[in-house]
Amino acid sequence: APPPSAVTSAFAASFVVPGRVSVGRDGAARTLRLSSHVLDAPLLAKVAPALEMRAYLSASLAWADDVPLLPGQVSLTRDGAFVGKAQLGLVAPGESFELGFGADDRIKVERVPVVRRDNDPAGSYAMRNQISDHRTSITNLHRRPMRISVVDRVPVSENTATIPFTVGSPAA
């Protein structure tokens, strides 16, 4: 049988399923596959070393079809292997969306404290300083280069004072 087809207008999309489809009289939901797409997207490894020493893979995609991508379950494969399922909301034509592919055991993350100093403020109006330095190492054990995004925390003052914050490069 030919695959289902879509009929689109400015504000609606209708799907035509060729042939006959049996629908039970018990009112139970019936699921039909309206389309199947293989989308190739570059993977990004996201790392938040202050929270967890793991990298998680995600892919950002743009839906280029003329018909909306309807909400439902999608099967996720990576390098031809099934890695799981995800629930996707409605994606309009031209809209971007993101899918997560789980933890990546071939990217190693290590975060160790290097320096931590606190001063002891003298008096009730003295300023308290806290200096914390960490060294984060990320090792890619894949056979190909990987894009990696590192997210870290920034200190926030509990009062209206400003906090000087600098990101340093590794010491030689």
Side-chain angles (χ1 to χ4, degrees):
S5 61
V7 178
T8 60
S9 67
F11 297 101
S14 300
F15 295 90
V16 178
V17 179
R20 293 179 162 255
V21 176
S22 296
V23 179
R25 59 181 123 162
D26 61 354
R30 172 74 195 240
T31 302
L32 300 172
R33 181 181 300 219
L34 297 177
S35 67
S36 179
H37 298 273
V38 176
L39 303 174
D40 187 26
L43 290 175
L44 172 67
K46 293 182 177 181
V47 178
L51 301 176
E52 188 175 3
M53 303 292 181
R54 300 188 95 160
Y56 289 89
L57 295 176
S58 69
S60 292
L61 303 132
W63 185 241
D65 206 331
D66 293 336
V67 179
L69 187 56
L70 299 176
Q73 199 172 62
V74 294
S75 296
L76 303 173
T77 60
R78 188 174 84 209
D79 297 330
F82 175 78
V83 294
K85 293 184 180 253
Q87 192 68 27
L88 195 63
L90 178 70
V91 180
E95 186 177 4
S96 295
F97 62 101
E98 189 171 314
L99 292 171
F101 286 84
D104 187 344
D105 58 353
R106 291 191 179 185
I107 296 178
K108 302 297 181 192
V109 180
E110 183 182 5
R111 177 184 166 100
V112 293
V114 178
V115 176
R116 182 181 174 100
R117 293 187 306 265
D118 288 322
N119 74 332
D120 216 359
S124 59
Y125 294 106
M127 187 187 246
R128 179 173 183 232
N129 291 321
Q130 181 182 45
I131 298 173
S132 296
D133 289 347
H134 292 84
R135 179 172 291 128
T136 301
S137 300
I138 301 171
T139 306
N140 177 17
L141 300 175
H142 288 277
R143 293 183 184 186
R144 62 182 177 92
M146 293 289 295
R147 292 183 329 134
I148 298 175
S149 171
V150 180
V151 178
D152 208 345
R153 298 183 290 180
V154 176
V156 176
S157 176
E158 293 179 359
N159 59 28
T160 58
T162 60
I163 297 177
F165 177 76
T166 58
V167 176
S169 59

